Coordinates of all heavy atoms in Angstrom, one line a residue:
G25 N 0.9 -1.2 0.0 CA 0.0 0.0 0.0 C 0.9 1.3 0.0 O 1.9 1.3 0.7
I26 N 0.5 2.2 -0.9 CA 1.3 3.4 -1.0 C 0.4 4.6 -0.7 O -0.6 4.8 -1.4 CB 2.0 3.6 -2.4 CG1 2.9 2.4 -2.5 CG2 2.6 4.9 -2.5 CD1 3.7 2.4 -3.9
P27 N 0.8 5.5 0.3 CA -0.1 6.6 0.5 C 0.1 7.7 -0.5 O 1.2 8.0 -1.0 CB 0.4 7.1 1.9 CG 1.9 6.7 1.9 CD 1.9 5.4 1.1
N28 N -1.0 8.3 -1.0 CA -0.9 9.4 -1.9 C -1.5 10.6 -1.3 O -2.4 11.3 -1.8 CB -1.7 9.0 -3.2 CG -1.6 10.0 -4.3 OD1 -0.5 10.6 -4.5 ND2 -2.7 10.4 -5.0
Y29 N -1.0 10.9 -0.1 CA -1.5 12.0 0.8 C -0.5 12.3 1.8 O 0.5 11.6 2.0 CB -2.8 11.6 1.4 CG -2.8 10.4 2.3 CD1 -2.5 10.5 3.7 CD2 -2.9 9.2 1.8 CE1 -2.4 9.4 4.5 CE2 -2.8 8.0 2.6 CZ -2.6 8.2 3.9 OH -2.5 7.1 4.8
G30 N -0.8 13.4 2.5 CA 0.1 13.8 3.6 C -0.8 14.3 4.8 O -2.0 14.4 4.6
Y31 N -0.1 14.8 5.8 CA -0.8 15.3 7.0 C -0.2 16.7 7.4 O 1.0 16.9 7.4 CB -0.8 14.5 8.2 CG -1.5 13.2 8.0 CD1 -0.9 11.9 8.1 CD2 -2.9 13.2 7.9 CE1 -1.7 10.7 8.0 CE2 -3.7 12.1 7.8 CZ -3.1 10.8 7.8 OH -3.8 9.7 7.7
D32 N -1.1 17.6 7.7 CA -0.7 19.0 8.2 C -1.2 19.0 9.6 O -2.4 19.0 9.9 CB -1.5 20.0 7.3 CG -1.1 21.4 7.8 OD1 -0.7 21.6 8.9 OD2 -1.4 22.4 7.0
W33 N -0.2 18.9 10.5 CA -0.5 18.8 12.0 C -0.3 20.2 12.7 O 0.8 20.8 12.5 CB 0.5 17.8 12.6 CG 0.2 16.4 12.3 CD1 0.9 15.7 11.3 CD2 -0.7 15.5 13.0 NE1 0.4 14.4 11.3 CE2 -0.5 14.3 12.3 CE3 -1.6 15.7 14.0 CZ2 -1.3 13.2 12.7 CZ3 -2.3 14.6 14.4 CH2 -2.2 13.3 13.8
P34 N -1.3 20.7 13.4 CA -1.1 21.8 14.2 C -0.3 21.4 15.4 O -0.5 20.3 16.0 CB -2.5 22.3 14.6 CG -3.4 21.1 14.4 CD -2.7 20.2 13.4
L35 N 0.6 22.2 15.9 CA 1.4 21.9 17.1 C 1.1 22.8 18.2 O 0.7 23.9 18.1 CB 2.9 22.0 16.7 CG 3.4 21.1 15.6 CD1 4.9 21.3 15.3 CD2 3.2 19.6 15.9
P36 N 1.3 22.4 19.5 CA 1.8 21.1 19.8 C 0.8 20.0 19.7 O -0.4 20.2 19.8 CB 2.2 21.3 21.3 CG 1.2 22.3 21.9 CD 1.0 23.2 20.6
F37 N 1.3 18.8 19.5 CA 0.4 17.6 19.4 C -0.1 17.2 20.7 O 0.7 17.1 21.7 CB 1.2 16.4 18.7 CG 0.4 15.1 18.7 CD1 -0.6 14.9 17.8 CD2 0.7 14.2 19.6 CE1 -1.4 13.7 17.9 CE2 0.0 12.9 19.7 CZ -1.0 12.8 18.8
E38 N -1.3 16.9 20.8 CA -1.9 16.4 22.1 C -2.8 15.2 21.7 O -3.8 15.4 21.0 CB -2.7 17.5 22.7 CG -3.1 17.2 24.2 CD -3.9 18.4 24.8 OE1 -3.6 19.5 24.4 OE2 -4.6 18.1 25.7
K39 N -2.3 14.0 22.2 CA -3.0 12.8 21.9 C -4.5 12.9 22.2 O -4.9 13.3 23.3 CB -2.4 11.6 22.6 CG -2.9 10.3 22.2 CD -2.2 9.1 22.8 CE -2.7 7.8 22.3 NZ -2.0 6.7 22.8
G40 N -5.3 12.5 21.2 CA -6.8 12.5 21.4 C -7.4 13.9 21.2 O -8.6 14.0 21.2
V41 N -6.6 14.9 21.0 CA -7.1 16.3 20.9 C -6.7 16.9 19.5 O -7.6 17.3 18.8 CB -6.6 17.2 22.0 CG1 -7.1 18.6 21.8 CG2 -7.1 16.7 23.4
T42 N -5.5 16.8 19.2 CA -4.9 17.4 18.0 C -5.4 16.6 16.8 O -5.3 15.4 16.8 CB -3.4 17.5 18.0 OG1 -3.0 18.1 19.2 CG2 -2.9 18.2 16.8
K43 N -5.9 17.2 15.8 CA -6.3 16.5 14.5 C -5.5 17.1 13.4 O -5.5 18.4 13.2 CB -7.8 16.7 14.3 CG -8.5 15.9 15.4 CD -10.0 15.9 15.2 CE -10.6 15.2 16.4 NZ -11.9 14.8 16.2
A44 N -5.1 16.2 12.5 CA -4.3 16.7 11.3 C -5.3 16.9 10.2 O -6.3 16.2 10.1 CB -3.3 15.7 10.9
K45 N -5.0 17.7 9.3 CA -5.7 17.9 8.0 C -5.0 17.0 7.0 O -3.8 17.1 6.8 CB -5.7 19.4 7.6 CG -6.4 19.6 6.3 CD -6.3 21.1 5.9 CE -6.8 21.3 4.5 NZ -6.6 22.6 4.0
T46 N -5.8 16.2 6.3 CA -5.2 15.4 5.2 C -5.1 16.3 3.9 O -6.0 17.0 3.6 CB -6.2 14.2 4.9 OG1 -6.4 13.4 6.1 CG2 -5.5 13.3 3.8
I47 N -3.9 16.2 3.3 CA -3.6 17.0 2.1 C -2.9 16.2 1.1 O -2.3 15.1 1.4 CB -2.8 18.2 2.5 CG1 -1.4 17.8 3.1 CG2 -3.5 19.2 3.4 CD1 -0.5 19.0 3.4
G48 N -2.9 16.7 -0.1 CA -2.2 16.0 -1.2 C -0.8 16.6 -1.4 O -0.5 17.7 -0.8
T49 N 0.0 16.0 -2.2 CA 1.4 16.5 -2.5 C 1.3 18.0 -3.1 O 2.1 18.8 -2.6 CB 2.1 15.6 -3.5 OG1 2.2 14.3 -2.9 CG2 3.5 16.1 -3.8
V50 N 0.5 18.2 -4.0 CA 0.4 19.6 -4.6 C 0.0 20.6 -3.6 O 0.6 21.6 -3.5 CB -0.6 19.6 -5.8 CG1 -0.8 20.9 -6.4 CG2 -0.1 18.6 -7.0
E51 N -1.0 20.2 -2.8 CA -1.4 21.2 -1.7 C -0.3 21.4 -0.7 O -0.1 22.6 -0.3 CB -2.6 20.6 -1.0 CG -3.2 21.6 0.0 CD -4.5 21.1 0.7 OE1 -4.9 20.0 0.3 OE2 -5.0 21.8 1.5
A52 N 0.5 20.4 -0.4 CA 1.6 20.5 0.6 C 2.6 21.5 0.0 O 3.1 22.5 0.7 CB 2.3 19.2 0.9
V53 N 3.0 21.3 -1.3 CA 4.0 22.2 -1.9 C 3.4 23.7 -2.0 O 4.1 24.6 -1.7 CB 4.4 21.7 -3.3 CG1 5.2 22.7 -4.0 CG2 5.1 20.4 -3.2
Q54 N 2.2 23.8 -2.3 CA 1.5 25.2 -2.3 C 1.6 25.8 -0.9 O 1.8 27.0 -0.9 CB 0.1 25.1 -2.8 CG 0.0 24.7 -4.3 CD -1.5 24.4 -4.7 OE1 -2.3 24.0 -3.9 NE2 -1.6 24.5 -6.0
I55 N 1.3 25.0 0.1 CA 1.4 25.6 1.5 C 2.8 26.1 1.8 O 3.0 27.2 2.3 CB 1.0 24.6 2.5 CG1 -0.5 24.3 2.4 CG2 1.3 25.0 3.9 CD1 -1.1 23.1 3.2
A56 N 3.9 25.3 1.4 CA 5.2 25.6 1.7 C 5.6 26.9 0.9 O 6.2 27.8 1.4 CB 6.2 24.5 1.3
I57 N 5.2 27.0 -0.3 CA 5.4 28.2 -1.1 C 4.8 29.4 -0.5 O 5.4 30.5 -0.4 CB 5.0 28.0 -2.6 CG1 5.9 26.9 -3.3 CG2 5.0 29.3 -3.4 CD1 5.5 26.4 -4.6
A58 N 3.5 29.3 -0.2 CA 2.7 30.4 0.4 C 3.3 31.0 1.6 O 3.2 32.1 1.9 CB 1.3 30.0 0.6
H59 N 4.0 30.1 2.4 CA 4.5 30.5 3.7 C 6.1 30.7 3.6 O 6.7 31.1 4.6 CB 4.2 29.5 4.8 CG 2.8 29.5 5.1 ND1 1.8 28.8 4.5 CD2 2.1 30.3 6.1 CE1 0.7 29.0 5.0 NE2 0.8 29.9 6.0
G60 N 6.6 30.6 2.4 CA 8.1 30.8 2.2 C 9.0 29.9 3.0 O 10.0 30.4 3.5
V61 N 8.6 28.7 3.2 CA 9.4 27.8 4.0 C 10.1 26.7 3.1 O 9.6 26.4 2.0 CB 8.6 27.1 5.1 CG1 8.0 28.2 6.1 CG2 7.4 26.3 4.5
E62 N 11.2 26.2 3.6 CA 11.9 25.2 2.9 C 11.3 23.8 3.1 O 11.0 23.5 4.3 CB 13.4 25.2 3.4 CG 14.3 24.2 2.7 CD 15.7 24.2 3.3 OE1 16.0 25.0 4.2 OE2 16.5 23.4 2.7
I63 N 11.2 23.0 2.1 CA 10.8 21.6 2.2 C 12.1 20.8 2.5 O 13.1 20.9 1.8 CB 10.1 21.1 1.0 CG1 8.8 21.9 0.7 CG2 9.9 19.6 1.0 CD1 8.1 21.6 -0.6
L64 N 12.1 20.1 3.7 CA 13.2 19.3 4.1 C 12.9 17.9 3.7 O 11.8 17.5 3.3 CB 13.4 19.5 5.6 CG 13.5 20.9 6.1 CD1 13.3 21.0 7.6 CD2 14.8 21.6 5.6
Y65 N 14.0 17.0 3.9 CA 13.8 15.6 3.6 C 14.4 14.8 4.6 O 15.6 14.9 4.9 CB 14.4 15.3 2.2 CG 14.0 14.0 1.6 CD1 12.7 13.8 1.0 CD2 14.8 12.9 1.7 CE1 12.3 12.6 0.5 CE2 14.4 11.6 1.2 CZ 13.2 11.5 0.6 OH 12.8 10.3 0.1
D66 N 13.7 13.9 5.2 CA 14.2 13.0 6.3 C 14.8 11.8 5.6 O 14.0 11.0 5.0 CB 13.0 12.6 7.2 CG 13.5 11.8 8.4 OD1 14.0 10.7 8.2 OD2 13.4 12.3 9.6
E67 N 16.0 11.6 5.7 CA 16.7 10.4 5.0 C 16.3 9.1 5.6 O 16.2 8.1 4.9 CB 18.2 10.6 5.0 CG 18.7 11.8 4.2 CD 18.5 11.6 2.7 OE1 18.4 10.4 2.2 OE2 18.4 12.6 1.9
T68 N 16.1 9.1 6.9 CA 15.7 7.8 7.6 C 14.3 7.4 7.2 O 14.1 6.3 6.8 CB 15.8 8.0 9.1 OG1 17.1 8.3 9.4 CG2 15.4 6.6 9.8
A69 N 13.3 8.3 7.2 CA 11.9 8.0 6.9 C 11.8 8.0 5.3 O 10.8 7.4 4.8 CB 11.0 9.0 7.4

């Protein structure tokens, strides 16, 4: 199974309280661009 989605988590995370928004790749990139932030890459994950 391959996920074709991502999650936008508000912080801080609180188990049972915090809910993520499900987003797609294009939307994730658009959010990063809109906020002028760098997309990083986790080599382990």
Side-chain angles (χ1 to χ4, degrees):
I26 297 179
N28 187 38
Y29 59 92
Y31 289 120
D32 181 339
W33 290 94
L35 299 176
F37 172 77
E38 194 175 333
K39 189 174 182 175
V41 176
T42 308
K43 295 187 182 197
K45 178 182 175 188
T46 304
I47 59 175
T49 299
V50 173
E51 186 178 358
V53 172
Q54 289 170 341
I55 291 168
I57 291 169
H59 290 87
V61 297
E62 180 182 3
I63 295 173
L64 306 168
Y65 194 78
D66 185 297
E67 292 294 336
T68 303

